[in-house]
Amino acid sequence: MGNRLLSFLMASIALGGLAEAKTVIHVMHQGDPGWVSTYGEVAKRFETANPDVDIELIYAPHDAYNEKFSAAVMSKQLPDVMELDAPFLANYVWSGYLQPIEPLVDKDVIDDMTESNVAQGTYPIDKELYAVGLTDSSVVLYGNRKYLEAIGARIPKGVDDAWTREEFEGYLEKLSKLDGVKWPIDTFRGYGIKTEWITYAYGPILQSAGCDLIDRKTWKSVGTLDSDPCVEALTMMQKWVTNGWVVPQSSGTNQFFAEGHPAALALGGHWFYAEAAASMKDDIVVMPLPKFGPKGASPNGTWIWGITTASEHPDIAGKFVSFMLKDKVFRDYAKEDSAYPGLKSFAADSPLYADGGPMAVAFEQASKTAVARPPHPAYPIITSAFMGAVDEIFNGGDVKAALTAAAEKIDEDIEENDGYPPFDEQQ
């Protein structure tokens, strides 16, 4: 009896020791309920395959992700793995929060990355890869075929055939007078200014018009963001709002494929194709973004995965990232969500984006017109200043004054940080 009790206690102690010996990997992420559920399933499968590891998922709401990350920094509780929005990568690396990921992730994953995916995860100073993702992203111009045919609109076949500014604005005016159309276009103002939407989706309109948020050689914003082409571009967009052509922010985040289809066009992300197609059937048309000036431009970059410098187990963190990006259920959910390919193997398995596929024009934009958001440590200020200016302009503010104030705010931040060395040596 006594020996059996001793054996039981020793076994219990041993089991307790094994439990304590488990390595815990903290993974910070955002995402809608579908993605959150999928991450949970991936974590369980990884733990089953690696019984000595526990994956602890830390959810942060999309709109408050950066605030929650800042809180983790302040409390010195950085996760091992973090999801990050690609344009913030330069800031995170410059601040010392991320480590090069290439040595930690399976080589076949690295070799599988598309050029655009490599670009969104690369830090421009040392050219090292700091993050990797299954996906990338883009925005296209969706149209309601029924409405477009009613006004005799030309439907572009590809990026080289995109509408000009004159065509686009002419169609907006015609659509505004068409029975059944409440608003000619939904630009998803409902996303507000707490997400990246305005900079991500509207920034390419400036770049197409011949300007930018900041000069990417001198890293000065005054003279660029408030230049004549940018003032003209935002004046054009302000006119769309003033004319009542744009779905107002108060009407939510979708009036294109909502009941009754009150919006005729949508400047929308690739991610709502599946829902829109299910609602609109053969009436949905996917077109390239219009050409508003001397060149076409479209956004890229999405939420990708990095490993922090605080991780005590970067090798296991890298093993989890590799596992997740190869996981079939993870990929199947991404495919159902019309996710935009960032890995070649995922693209090959995504007929949505292949030649002849309904979203092929979106993938065509990646190689012909995609312009990354400014890869600079001051990006958080660049985007917040620009979004504030656009919000002010859409609410009737003076365009030139709003853009100049935003440009000065950006330059002041860069000056206060001594040019964010070594970025100040890039000129």
Side-chain angles (χ1 to χ4, degrees), residues 110-121:
I110 301 297
D111 292 343
D112 199 21
M113 296 174 73
T114 63
E115 186 176 339
S116 177
N117 196 4
V118 171
Q120 70 175 336

Side-chain angles (χ1 to χ4, degrees), residues 366-389:
S367 60
K368 291 186 175 179
T369 60
V371 180
R373 283 159 281 177
H376 191 276
Y379 184 78
I381 295 297
I382 295 172
T383 186
S384 66
F386 177 63
M387 289 194 293

Side-chain angles (χ1 to χ4, degrees), residues 344-356:
K344 299 167 194 170
S345 60
F346 184 53
D349 195 34
S350 300
L352 197 61
Y353 294 95
D355 286 346

